[in-house]
Amino acid sequence: MTRSKWRHRLAATLHGLAKETMRQEPNRREFLGTLAAFSLFPVEQEKPDLILHNGNVYTMNSKEPRAQAIAIARGRIVGIGSDTDVVSLAFAGSKKIDLGKKTVLPGFIDAHSHPAMAGVMHLRMVDCDLRSIAAIQSALRERAAKTRAGEWVLGFKYDDTKTSDRRPLTIGDLDAAVPDHPVQIEHRGGHTVYCNSLAFQKAGVTDKTPDPAGGRIDHDQATGKLSGRAAESARVLFDKVIPNNVTRVDHREGVKLISKMLAKTGITSAHEAQGTPSDLLAYQDAREAGELLYRAYCFINYRYIDSMIAAGVRTGLGDEWVRVGAMKLVCDGSISERTARLSQPYEGRPNDYGILVMTEDQLYENGRKAHAAGWQIGTHANGDVGIETTLRVYERLQRENPRPDPRFRLEHCTVINDELVARIKALGAIPTPFSTYVYYHGEKMRYYGAERLNHMFALRSFLDAGIRATQASDYPPGEFIPMMALQSEVTRTDSKGNIWGPQQKITVEEAIRVGTVHGAYASYEENMKGSLEAGKLADLVVLGRDPMKEEPSTLITIPVERTMADGRWTYES
């Protein structure tokens, strides 16, 4: 079957399923000390259509760590090494680009993000990443004025800790802004929503509605009335009454939009961490329209796993651009919204330990059928209780039905201890801790306390144990900028200069490896990407300065000048 026919057949299958959801140059001694042998691929050498030369290339390949030039043919690296060796491969049709000694790294891999969903949100919702409640109210009023009577006004990226008011949105704030439309604003973390009175009415929620299992409906402590906030599974009450009128075209346009945003920062691959059949179809549509600028490893939410298994779909199906990823489960709550399930309470909240969203039995039953069907499993587990619960399930699955190299994933895996690290290592599991949180969400770190922070976003602990943890933004909850991730991981310092959890600092080189090599491993794609080697995909980023020689506190200011995926520029400044 031709690739084109295969794509169309898979697209048809997924469309049916989707209906269920709708500068610095190294001196010569330095360079020659690290430049390994010139590499070619394959044995019968391909003629390169593009040669990048006069560069400062960090390959992330331990056998050949440095290079000056890269030869590319049909989207793959066919030669890498010194300028002399690589440029000699050129023939009459080869295009040559002088990099001006700029630094080149492998393209960054965001191993946990929600780009397809975020793209649609940017198209359809009010961006509430604003710095006052008044500004949010104004934005909502503006959208309401353009919305037909009675229809929902939806917003996203609201953050209660980033407004000057120093308090969360209330039901009264939203009623005052938009009284005649139901309103729902999603917190940036994605686990809580803020609604107006009309939205609660539409959902059938009153002051006396009990909390659903795995969820919470907040009330004003003084009056007992609805505060406007609903958390975790309580969101389902609203999901049931909000019309899903996002079209197939909207989904494709969302991928097109987010593609440009990611490429601009140096990202060439992203793991879609909560995907649906509609998202998978959107990736194929965008790819065939020439609008997909990053490689997608698309997780599938557990609610669709039966349909996927019945259709013969499992982890790994696809090609270098669009591939089916792991099945996604959710164990506990959010770090940024302080609902992650902890063994010790949140600072200043003596009775608040967070929320378990799914029971251990539910995790096991969903995991069992996916594991038996050959799926990788990725479970959202933030708090130490959530992580421990998830590990018990994974250990049981592998004990009852041993599979070679299942690469179980711990999505976020935020609050750890030595025992958990040992069990993660023994299982060969892969943590995907938040990479930009310390820098971007510093104002929330006080809720966890100084000691606990030395065990959060624990890259130092993971790497020391030989665990291949990844770079992950979780966008929209966290920023996806790789240079921000490097600075956050290396300095453990927030945007105001506060240091949180210094014991978990790693080096710049380690941070780059986490964001490239490890990301490829997490999706079983280490043989095709993550490092710059002959035979691998031509995915790379050109930077304005060398991060290895940069003051760590200014890593975020290093400009991305160009991004390449599959041998073509997806972004040029």
Side-chain angles (χ1 to χ4, degrees), residues 120-137:
V120 172
M121 287 177 157
H122 277 285
L123 287 173
R124 289 295 201 95
M125 298 184 181
V126 179
D127 190 334
C128 294
D129 185 17
L130 302 169
R131 295 300 170 257
S132 72
I133 290 176
I136 293 170
Q137 289 175 313

Side-chain angles (χ1 to χ4, degrees), residues 60 109 125 260 298 369 382 388 391 447 463 490:
M60 290 297 116
I109 300 171
M125 298 184 181
K260 295 176 181 178
C298 188
K369 57 187 172 185
N382 260 311
E388 205 276 335
L391 285 173
Y447 292 101
L463 297 183
V490 170

Side-chain angles (χ1 to χ4, degrees), residues 534-545:
K536 288 193 175 183
L537 297 165
D539 296 358
L540 54 85
V541 58
V542 181
L543 303 178
R545 302 195 302 274

